[in-house]
Amino acid sequence: MTILIIAYLGGVLTILSPCILPILPFVFARTGGPFARSTLPMLAGMAASFALVATLAALGGSWAVRANEYGRLAAVMLLAAFGVSLLSPRVAYVLARPVVDLGNRLTTSAGSARSAPATASSLVLGAATGLLWAPCAGPILGLVLTGAALQGANFETTFLLFAYAAGAATSLAVALLVGGKVFAVMKRSLGVGERIRQCLGAAVLAGLAAIALGLDTGVLTQLSYASTVSFEQAVLDRFHERPAAGAPSKVAKRPFRSELPAESRAPALNGAVEWLNSAPLTNEQLRGKVVLVNFWTYSCINCIRTIPYVRAWAEKYKDKGLVVVGVHTPEFAFEKRIDNVRQALGGFNIGYPVAIDNDYRIWRAFENSYWPAHYLIDAKGEIRYHQFGEGNYPQTEKAIQDLLREAGSETAASAPVVPDAKGAEVGPDMGNIGSGETYLGYRRASNFASPEGLQADATYHYSFAKPNLNEWGLSGTWTVGAQQATLTQPGGGIAYRFSARDLHLVLGPGAAGKPIRFRVTIDGKDPGNDRGSDIDASGNGTVTATKLYQLVRQSADVAVRNFEIRFLDRGVEAFAFTFG
């Protein structure tokens, strides 16, 4: 009985939370009707549908999540029609006509129940509102949902969730009774009933927009935490008195439950052609661990800039239950060579397991589309968080900490890592990037400025033209293939007019595998302090492996510059420019 009262009081306190705001317009839109036939059925429908959906969601099955998404979509459509009907009497007449006809037939056949259509419509609107309602999970709702997740779906679970929803409905009913009287006075004194109706319609549509944009589960959730958690904790403390010092506790410590949603079941890590730094790992071996799956490829600049963070997380949380798995899925053909990947692991100081996904089997199993991409899998094998591309490092680490605590680790919240990044690993200067990734192979080449034009799969002699911003050209004898340009005679070069702090170029020594010397100039001069990490101050460097080379890092104000690289030896392969 105690937990039932706590659940009810937790629902009552929901009225103080910003997370109630998106559904208030739907509720207040019924203030014009009788309480028993309009407001009460709506609140009852809302409580019942929320309790049912929350019970199913507590099971954690992906089918329940999908079913709820379909239900939310239907609810959005229904309530959008309701909002439009408030704005337009004509639309209201068209939408209400079938219900009125049904009510007339029921009245004729039963000789009573004239309130049936109004009651039924209120009940349906309430059920739709319950599907959309996403209350903030404070201590009380967290306690109820944790118990539901541990015990499964049963009568007690549903009853507790219904008690919580009933508490919210009670506080809403009180607000409606007060608000209804205020609205009635306004209508009598100002004669603005139609305007009020239209304002409510606009509020309903605004609430739907907030729900569709995720504000009800994002911004409002964060705002609400500070506003209600102290009240809810006070309720818990009132009903569960703290034991005296030295006395054994009668209340077991509640397991931590992260608010991260279950996105889907994690697919198997089958299909790798080889594993580096580890024997092959299976989902069964990883059960009970928190797993960070990192899709990457070793010459991708965006992937390179995330490596220091992934490396730091692997080290910081390896004894807390985190397993990092790098899934190396190649973009270029040279990235399929396992020796190249093995050499890259040494260069990046990567010691965690890496699956070589040359056939894209793991990539397709995750339905992934991005380099880099991070997926966090909880101890039960559910994907709970993802991050596509660079950035959001503190949020990702917070998600790691949450899932480790949920798995039973004593991991405490701590400051995010500040990794030791060097060279190309340093984050980009986003405010000064005016140039984008540029491929040299004809399949994806663009902005080619040499006057001869790009000749596919043919050995051709090119010459420099004066490139405009973000244009590039070749000089010397080159063969341009689908993915790369290959120099066939010594002395050839590449020019690019760019605007960014950093310039990188993916280069390889070609089939011969012999070192290839080169020299870089910036605006026709030695780079000096503007040199990248792979050349010296005079611009000299050597291509020894197929990888990304950092050739320019402007040390002062970023300006538009003319980059040129000349190769002293034949055979170099050039793949793509990237910037940072």
Side-chain angles (χ1 to χ4, degrees), residues 21-44:
L21 293 178
I23 70 165
L24 285 181
F26 313 134
V27 178
F28 274 95
R30 309 298 292 176
T31 55
F35 182 83
R37 286 183 296 162
S38 180
T39 302
L40 190 59
M42 181 179 188
L43 294 176

PDB file of all heavy atoms in Angstrom, residues 21-44:
ATOM      1  N   LEU A  21       3.848  20.242 -19.819  1.00  0.00           N
ATOM      2  CA  LEU A  21       3.409  21.349 -20.676  1.00  0.00           C
ATOM      3  C   LEU A  21       2.880  20.911 -22.041  1.00  0.00           C
ATOM      4  O   LEU A  21       1.858  21.429 -22.492  1.00  0.00           O
ATOM      5  CB  LEU A  21       4.566  22.346 -20.855  1.00  0.00           C
ATOM      6  CG  LEU A  21       4.988  23.108 -19.589  1.00  0.00           C
ATOM      7  CD1 LEU A  21       6.171  24.014 -19.902  1.00  0.00           C
ATOM      8  CD2 LEU A  21       3.834  23.933 -19.043  1.00  0.00           C
ATOM      9  N   PRO A  22       3.548  19.963 -22.760  1.00  0.00           N
ATOM     10  CA  PRO A  22       3.049  19.646 -24.101  1.00  0.00           C
ATOM     11  C   PRO A  22       1.625  19.104 -24.140  1.00  0.00           C
ATOM     12  O   PRO A  22       0.957  19.229 -25.169  1.00  0.00           O
ATOM     13  CB  PRO A  22       4.057  18.593 -24.604  1.00  0.00           C
ATOM     14  CG  PRO A  22       5.301  18.878 -23.850  1.00  0.00           C
ATOM     15  CD  PRO A  22       4.834  19.302 -22.494  1.00  0.00           C
ATOM     16  N   ILE A  23       1.145  18.451 -23.045  1.00  0.00           N
ATOM     17  CA  ILE A  23      -0.202  17.877 -23.108  1.00  0.00           C
ATOM     18  C   ILE A  23      -1.259  18.786 -22.498  1.00  0.00           C
ATOM     19  O   ILE A  23      -2.450  18.503 -22.604  1.00  0.00           O
ATOM     20  CB  ILE A  23      -0.252  16.486 -22.433  1.00  0.00           C
ATOM     21  CG1 ILE A  23      -0.089  16.608 -20.908  1.00  0.00           C
ATOM     22  CG2 ILE A  23       0.775  15.550 -23.018  1.00  0.00           C
ATOM     23  CD1 ILE A  23      -0.487  15.357 -20.175  1.00  0.00           C
ATOM     24  N   LEU A  24      -0.852  19.888 -21.862  1.00  0.00           N
ATOM     25  CA  LEU A  24      -1.831  20.780 -21.251  1.00  0.00           C
ATOM     26  C   LEU A  24      -2.833  21.349 -22.266  1.00  0.00           C
ATOM     27  O   LEU A  24      -4.028  21.431 -21.961  1.00  0.00           O
ATOM     28  CB  LEU A  24      -1.124  21.922 -20.508  1.00  0.00           C
ATOM     29  CG  LEU A  24      -0.485  21.561 -19.169  1.00  0.00           C
ATOM     30  CD1 LEU A  24       0.146  22.801 -18.542  1.00  0.00           C
ATOM     31  CD2 LEU A  24      -1.506  20.973 -18.205  1.00  0.00           C
ATOM     32  N   PRO A  25      -2.394  21.739 -23.472  1.00  0.00           N
ATOM     33  CA  PRO A  25      -3.385  22.268 -24.425  1.00  0.00           C
ATOM     34  C   PRO A  25      -4.492  21.266 -24.757  1.00  0.00           C
ATOM     35  O   PRO A  25      -5.649  21.639 -24.913  1.00  0.00           O
ATOM     36  CB  PRO A  25      -2.539  22.588 -25.668  1.00  0.00           C
ATOM     37  CG  PRO A  25      -1.170  22.820 -25.151  1.00  0.00           C
ATOM     38  CD  PRO A  25      -1.021  21.879 -24.004  1.00  0.00           C
ATOM     39  N   PHE A  26      -4.144  19.961 -24.863  1.00  0.00           N
ATOM     40  CA  PHE A  26      -5.165  18.968 -25.173  1.00  0.00           C
ATOM     41  C   PHE A  26      -6.196  18.880 -24.044  1.00  0.00           C
ATOM     42  O   PHE A  26      -7.388  18.707 -24.265  1.00  0.00           O
ATOM     43  CB  PHE A  26      -4.530  17.586 -25.390  1.00  0.00           C
ATOM     44  CG  PHE A  26      -3.336  17.586 -26.296  1.00  0.00           C
ATOM     45  CD1 PHE A  26      -2.179  16.905 -25.958  1.00  0.00           C
ATOM     46  CD2 PHE A  26      -3.360  18.288 -27.477  1.00  0.00           C
ATOM     47  CE1 PHE A  26      -1.077  16.912 -26.784  1.00  0.00           C
ATOM     48  CE2 PHE A  26      -2.259  18.294 -28.321  1.00  0.00           C
ATOM     49  CZ  PHE A  26      -1.121  17.614 -27.967  1.00  0.00           C
ATOM     50  N   VAL A  27      -5.673  18.971 -22.801  1.00  0.00           N
ATOM     51  CA  VAL A  27      -6.554  18.835 -21.644  1.00  0.00           C
ATOM     52  C   VAL A  27      -7.437  20.073 -21.484  1.00  0.00           C
ATOM     53  O   VAL A  27      -8.653  19.977 -21.321  1.00  0.00           O
ATOM     54  CB  VAL A  27      -5.711  18.589 -20.372  1.00  0.00           C
ATOM     55  CG1 VAL A  27      -6.608  18.489 -19.148  1.00  0.00           C
ATOM     56  CG2 VAL A  27      -4.883  17.318 -20.533  1.00  0.00           C
ATOM     57  N   PHE A  28      -6.830  21.265 -21.576  1.00  0.00           N
ATOM     58  CA  PHE A  28      -7.601  22.499 -21.374  1.00  0.00           C
ATOM     59  C   PHE A  28      -8.591  22.757 -22.516  1.00  0.00           C
ATOM     60  O   PHE A  28      -9.542  23.513 -22.341  1.00  0.00           O
ATOM     61  CB  PHE A  28      -6.655  23.689 -21.220  1.00  0.00           C
ATOM     62  CG  PHE A  28      -6.171  23.887 -19.819  1.00  0.00           C
ATOM     63  CD1 PHE A  28      -4.956  23.355 -19.418  1.00  0.00           C
ATOM     64  CD2 PHE A  28      -6.938  24.568 -18.884  1.00  0.00           C
ATOM     65  CE1 PHE A  28      -4.507  23.519 -18.123  1.00  0.00           C
ATOM     66  CE2 PHE A  28      -6.497  24.731 -17.589  1.00  0.00           C
ATOM     67  CZ  PHE A  28      -5.282  24.206 -17.199  1.00  0.00           C
ATOM     68  N   ALA A  29      -8.365  22.114 -23.657  1.00  0.00           N
ATOM     69  CA  ALA A  29      -9.307  22.290 -24.760  1.00  0.00           C
ATOM     70  C   ALA A  29     -10.669  21.682 -24.453  1.00  0.00           C
ATOM     71  O   ALA A  29     -11.647  21.957 -25.150  1.00  0.00           O
ATOM     72  CB  ALA A  29      -8.739  21.663 -26.034  1.00  0.00           C
ATOM     73  N   ARG A  30     -10.773  20.862 -23.385  1.00  0.00           N
ATOM     74  CA  ARG A  30     -12.051  20.237 -23.036  1.00  0.00           C
ATOM     75  C   ARG A  30     -12.769  20.968 -21.905  1.00  0.00           C
ATOM     76  O   ARG A  30     -13.758  20.466 -21.365  1.00  0.00           O
ATOM     77  CB  ARG A  30     -11.821  18.774 -22.588  1.00  0.00           C
ATOM     78  CG  ARG A  30     -10.986  17.954 -23.550  1.00  0.00           C
ATOM     79  CD  ARG A  30     -11.632  17.825 -24.899  1.00  0.00           C
ATOM     80  NE  ARG A  30     -12.854  17.023 -24.871  1.00  0.00           N
ATOM     81  CZ  ARG A  30     -13.652  16.810 -25.906  1.00  0.00           C
ATOM     82  NH1 ARG A  30     -13.357  17.379 -27.064  1.00  0.00           N
ATOM     83  NH2 ARG A  30     -14.727  16.073 -25.794  1.00  0.00           N
ATOM     84  N   THR A  31     -12.269  22.147 -21.545  1.00  0.00           N
ATOM     85  CA  THR A  31     -12.870  22.848 -20.405  1.00  0.00           C
ATOM     86  C   THR A  31     -14.286  23.339 -20.695  1.00  0.00           C
ATOM     87  O   THR A  31     -15.042  23.628 -19.779  1.00  0.00           O
ATOM     88  CB  THR A  31     -12.003  24.066 -19.999  1.00  0.00           C
ATOM     89  OG1 THR A  31     -11.819  24.901 -21.146  1.00  0.00           O
ATOM     90  CG2 THR A  31     -10.667  23.617 -19.480  1.00  0.00           C
ATOM     91  N   GLY A  32     -14.644  23.434 -21.966  1.00  0.00           N
ATOM     92  CA  GLY A  32     -15.972  23.950 -22.284  1.00  0.00           C
ATOM     93  C   GLY A  32     -17.090  22.962 -22.007  1.00  0.00           C
ATOM     94  O   GLY A  32     -18.248  23.347 -21.887  1.00  0.00           O
ATOM     95  N   GLY A  33     -16.788  21.668 -21.914  1.00  0.00           N
ATOM     96  CA  GLY A  33     -17.824  20.654 -21.748  1.00  0.00           C
ATOM     97  C   GLY A  33     -18.049  20.294 -20.289  1.00  0.00           C
ATOM     98  O   GLY A  33     -17.289  20.693 -19.400  1.00  0.00           O
ATOM     99  N   PRO A  34     -19.119  19.501 -20.019  1.00  0.00           N
ATOM    100  CA  PRO A  34     -19.394  19.056 -18.642  1.00  0.00           C
ATOM    101  C   PRO A  34     -18.247  18.202 -18.116  1.00  0.00           C
ATOM    102  O   PRO A  34     -17.660  17.402 -18.860  1.00  0.00           O
ATOM    103  CB  PRO A  34     -20.684  18.232 -18.805  1.00  0.00           C
ATOM    104  CG  PRO A  34     -21.271  18.668 -20.096  1.00  0.00           C
ATOM    105  CD  PRO A  34     -20.129  19.041 -20.980  1.00  0.00           C
ATOM    106  N   PHE A  35     -17.950  18.337 -16.843  1.00  0.00           N
ATOM    107  CA  PHE A  35     -16.813  17.639 -16.262  1.00  0.00           C
ATOM    108  C   PHE A  35     -16.978  16.122 -16.367  1.00  0.00           C
ATOM    109  O   PHE A  35     -16.063  15.404 -16.754  1.00  0.00           O
ATOM    110  CB  PHE A  35     -16.643  18.052 -14.794  1.00  0.00           C
ATOM    111  CG  PHE A  35     -15.458  17.414 -14.125  1.00  0.00           C
ATOM    112  CD1 PHE A  35     -14.188  17.964 -14.274  1.00  0.00           C
ATOM    113  CD2 PHE A  35     -15.591  16.259 -13.361  1.00  0.00           C
ATOM    114  CE1 PHE A  35     -13.093  17.382 -13.666  1.00  0.00           C
ATOM    115  CE2 PHE A  35     -14.493  15.668 -12.764  1.00  0.00           C
ATOM    116  CZ  PHE A  35     -13.243  16.239 -12.914  1.00  0.00           C
ATOM    117  N   ALA A  36     -18.165  15.610 -16.042  1.00  0.00           N
ATOM    118  CA  ALA A  36     -18.378  14.158 -15.997  1.00  0.00           C
ATOM    119  C   ALA A  36     -18.350  13.532 -17.381  1.00  0.00           C
ATOM    120  O   ALA A  36     -17.893  12.401 -17.547  1.00  0.00           O
ATOM    121  CB  ALA A  36     -19.707  13.843 -15.302  1.00  0.00           C
ATOM    122  N   ARG A  37     -18.850  14.256 -18.399  1.00  0.00           N
ATOM    123  CA  ARG A  37     -18.937  13.667 -19.738  1.00  0.00           C
ATOM    124  C   ARG A  37     -17.768  14.047 -20.641  1.00  0.00           C
ATOM    125  O   ARG A  37     -17.567  13.417 -21.676  1.00  0.00           O
ATOM    126  CB  ARG A  37     -20.244  14.102 -20.409  1.00  0.00           C
ATOM    127  CG  ARG A  37     -21.469  13.394 -19.852  1.00  0.00           C
ATOM    128  CD  ARG A  37     -22.717  13.824 -20.611  1.00  0.00           C
ATOM    129  NE  ARG A  37     -22.990  15.251 -20.424  1.00  0.00           N
ATOM    130  CZ  ARG A  37     -23.787  15.971 -21.224  1.00  0.00           C
ATOM    131  NH1 ARG A  37     -24.335  15.413 -22.282  1.00  0.00           N
ATOM    132  NH2 ARG A  37     -24.009  17.240 -20.977  1.00  0.00           N
ATOM    133  N   SER A  38     -17.007  15.055 -20.279  1.00  0.00           N
ATOM    134  CA  SER A  38     -15.937  15.523 -21.149  1.00  0.00           C
ATOM    135  C   SER A  38     -14.565  15.385 -20.497  1.00  0.00           C
ATOM    136  O   SER A  38     -13.699  14.675 -20.999  1.00  0.00           O
ATOM    137  CB  SER A  38     -16.188  16.986 -21.534  1.00  0.00           C
ATOM    138  OG  SER A  38     -15.166  17.466 -22.381  1.00  0.00           O
ATOM    139  N   THR A  39     -14.382  16.045 -19.370  1.00  0.00           N
ATOM    140  CA  THR A  39     -13.060  16.070 -18.737  1.00  0.00           C
ATOM    141  C   THR A  39     -12.701  14.726 -18.117  1.00  0.00           C
ATOM    142  O   THR A  39     -11.603  14.196 -18.325  1.00  0.00           O
ATOM    143  CB  THR A  39     -13.016  17.172 -17.660  1.00  0.00           C
ATOM    144  OG1 THR A  39     -13.321  18.420 -18.271  1.00  0.00           O
ATOM    145  CG2 THR A  39     -11.652  17.221 -17.016  1.00  0.00           C
ATOM    146  N   LEU A  40     -13.622  14.145 -17.332  1.00  0.00           N
ATOM    147  CA  LEU A  40     -13.322  12.908 -16.615  1.00  0.00           C
ATOM    148  C   LEU A  40     -12.980  11.756 -17.560  1.00  0.00           C
ATOM    149  O   LEU A  40     -11.979  11.053 -17.340  1.00  0.00           O
ATOM    150  CB  LEU A  40     -14.501  12.544 -15.706  1.00  0.00           C
ATOM    151  CG  LEU A  40     -14.241  11.396 -14.721  1.00  0.00           C
ATOM    152  CD1 LEU A  40     -13.064  11.738 -13.816  1.00  0.00           C
ATOM    153  CD2 LEU A  40     -15.488  11.109 -13.896  1.00  0.00           C
ATOM    154  N   PRO A  41     -13.776  11.520 -18.643  1.00  0.00           N
ATOM    155  CA  PRO A  41     -13.384  10.442 -19.563  1.00  0.00           C
ATOM    156  C   PRO A  41     -12.025  10.678 -20.217  1.00  0.00           C
ATOM    157  O   PRO A  41     -11.270   9.734 -20.442  1.00  0.00           O
ATOM    158  CB  PRO A  41     -14.503  10.445 -20.605  1.00  0.00           C
ATOM    159  CG  PRO A  41     -15.657  11.090 -19.936  1.00  0.00           C
ATOM    160  CD  PRO A  41     -15.081  12.103 -19.011  1.00  0.00           C
ATOM    161  N   MET A  42     -11.730  11.933 -20.519  1.00  0.00           N
ATOM    162  CA  MET A  42     -10.437  12.205 -21.147  1.00  0.00           C
ATOM    163  C   MET A  42      -9.281  11.864 -20.198  1.00  0.00           C
ATOM    164  O   MET A  42      -8.302  11.213 -20.593  1.00  0.00           O
ATOM    165  CB  MET A  42     -10.350  13.668 -21.560  1.00  0.00           C
ATOM    166  CG  MET A  42      -9.020  13.993 -22.239  1.00  0.00           C
ATOM    167  SD  MET A  42      -8.898  15.695 -22.774  1.00  0.00           S
ATOM    168  CE  MET A  42      -7.351  15.599 -23.694  1.00  0.00           C
ATOM    169  N   LEU A  43      -9.391  12.285 -18.945  1.00  0.00           N
ATOM    170  CA  LEU A  43      -8.327  11.993 -17.984  1.00  0.00           C
ATOM    171  C   LEU A  43      -8.215  10.496 -17.727  1.00  0.00           C
ATOM    172  O   LEU A  43      -7.110   9.955 -17.568  1.00  0.00           O
ATOM    173  CB  LEU A  43      -8.585  12.756 -16.683  1.00  0.00           C
ATOM    174  CG  LEU A  43      -8.494  14.290 -16.785  1.00  0.00           C
ATOM    175  CD1 LEU A  43      -8.868  14.929 -15.451  1.00  0.00           C
ATOM    176  CD2 LEU A  43      -7.099  14.729 -17.212  1.00  0.00           C
ATOM    177  N   ALA A  44      -9.354   9.804 -17.680  1.00  0.00           N
ATOM    178  CA  ALA A  44      -9.329   8.357 -17.477  1.00  0.00           C
ATOM    179  C   ALA A  44      -8.662   7.658 -18.655  1.00  0.00           C
ATOM    180  O   ALA A  44      -7.856   6.721 -18.486  1.00  0.00           O
ATOM    181  CB  ALA A  44     -10.750   7.827 -17.280  1.00  0.00           C
TER     182      ALA A  44
END
